[in-house]
Amino acid sequence: MSTTADPLATLASLPGVADSVDSVRKSVDRVYGHRIMRRRSNEVTSEAALRGARASAALAGAEWALEEVRRRSDFGVEGEPRTVGAALRLTAEAGQLLSVWRQSPLRVLARLHLVAAGGGAQQESVGRPRLAGEPVDEPLVELALPDADEVAGRLDGLARLLLAGSEAPAPVVAAVVHGELLALRPFGSYNGLVARAAERIVLVGGGLDPKSVCPAEVGHAEQDRAAYVAALEGYVSGTPAGMAAWIAHCGRSVELGARESTAVCEAMQRGAA
């Protein structure tokens, strides 16, 4: 990243990023302008949360149909059910943490990991960044793993960057938070789920999607895992082209999430949902 006073704003000025941000805003505006949003926005938010959680779990290896997520309740069972349960809990929790995020992003990340892990991890390692020698279970991302000292330093840098504030638009900030957490994998488990929940918090708290009706997780899943990892590699490279490609990928994911919720609104309007 740039060493200027506002490195996030510098990223926002990369070629193609402004066009991506503009496209995202137009997609989000279309959802918010739908007549259903004037009287049934809470229902749209609930449906977006469910679909976002399902998509995030799919990216973590638990690829369930939406109706299966609706009907199942055995989310404490080891394996895929626990992953889906973690995604559902995180989506529900994310909306409660906006005020805390503005004061202490690291505290929120710790809380998100606690919520995700539930009873599924060793208690002493839950809710804190991993220590030297501790393993990481992250099946999707196989990039080189930063050591514990680098993780601590970069998490601190990310927190300071967020607390300092930025003129960068929310899609750019959200993409950087998401990318940094996936690159670092700071926890022993559930890093992808936590990173995507943090992205959601930034998009909501940054004012782009205040009702949380544009689930970026849906878009990430729709673009498929291979594209997701390839875009992340661009972020990890640190090159301007790679960073811009990751930001655009995340922006496209928000657009696809907005399209999903537009379809939900249309179905509600027809009386089919």
Side-chain angles (χ1 to χ4, degrees):
M1 282 186 200
S2 166
T3 56
T4 60
D6 190 350
L8 294 174
T10 299
L11 292 177
S13 70
L14 291 173
V17 170
D19 289 341
S20 172
V21 169
D22 185 56
S23 183
V24 170
R25 284 175 172 156
K26 288 177 179 176
S27 295
V28 174
D29 286 346
R30 279 194 290 274
V31 180
Y32 278 82
H34 199 286
R35 61 186 300 180
I36 286 292
M37 287 293 293
R38 291 197 293 271
R39 48 196 174 83
R40 299 178 66 183
S41 64
N42 288 343
E43 294 173 64
V44 181
T45 295
S46 296
E47 186 65 18
L50 183 69
R51 294 180 183 225
R54 187 214 68 82
S56 192
L59 285 168
E63 196 160 352
W64 290 12
L66 185 61
E67 292 311 313
E68 186 173 8
V69 178
R70 290 190 203 279
R71 70 176 179 80
R72 294 276 289 267
S73 59
D74 57 335
F75 299 121
V77 176
E78 194 63 50
E80 289 189 4
R82 181 161 283 165
T83 299
V84 176
L88 290 167
R89 290 193 300 273
L90 281 176
T91 302
E93 186 75 9
Q96 311 301 314
L97 296 172
L98 291 175
S99 61
V100 183
W101 177 266
R102 295 186 182 102
Q103 299 171 6
S104 179
L106 297 186
R107 183 178 161 196
V108 169
L109 294 176
R111 173 63 184 169
L112 290 174
H113 188 243
L114 278 166
V115 169
Q122 293 297 317
Q123 191 62 38
E124 64 270 15
S125 66
V126 172
R128 62 156 173 78
R130 54 187 166 84
L131 303 178
E134 290 184 339
V136 173
D137 177 18
E138 191 59 51
L140 176 64
V141 181
E142 297 179 353
L143 299 173
L145 193 66
D147 64 29
D149 287 342
E150 182 178 353
V151 168
R154 286 173 61 176
L155 280 178
D156 181 66
L158 178 64
R160 285 188 282 106
L161 194 64
L162 293 170
L163 291 172
S166 173
E167 295 182 359
V172 174
V173 181
V176 169
V177 169
H178 185 173
E180 192 70 358
L181 292 175
L182 270 185
L184 294 177
R185 283 146 287 162
F187 303 108
S189 59
Y190 299 112
N191 289 287
L193 295 180
V194 168
R196 292 184 286 275
E199 179 185 40
R200 175 184 287 267
I201 289 172
V202 175
L203 292 171
V204 173
L208 178 73
D209 181 20
K211 294 183 182 293
S212 195
V213 295
C214 302
E217 304 96 325
V218 168
H220 289 302
E222 187 171 330
Q223 293 184 86
D224 78 46
R225 294 186 202 175
Y228 185 58
V229 173
L232 176 63
E233 289 174 351
Y235 177 87
V236 171
S237 76
T239 65
M243 297 289 281
W246 169 252
I247 293 168
H249 180 90
C250 291
R252 179 59 179 158
S253 296
V254 178
E255 291 181 59
L256 291 171
R259 186 178 71 180
E260 182 91 352
S261 286
T262 299
V264 168
C265 288
E266 291 294 324
M268 287 181 175
Q269 187 165 284
R270 294 192 305 268

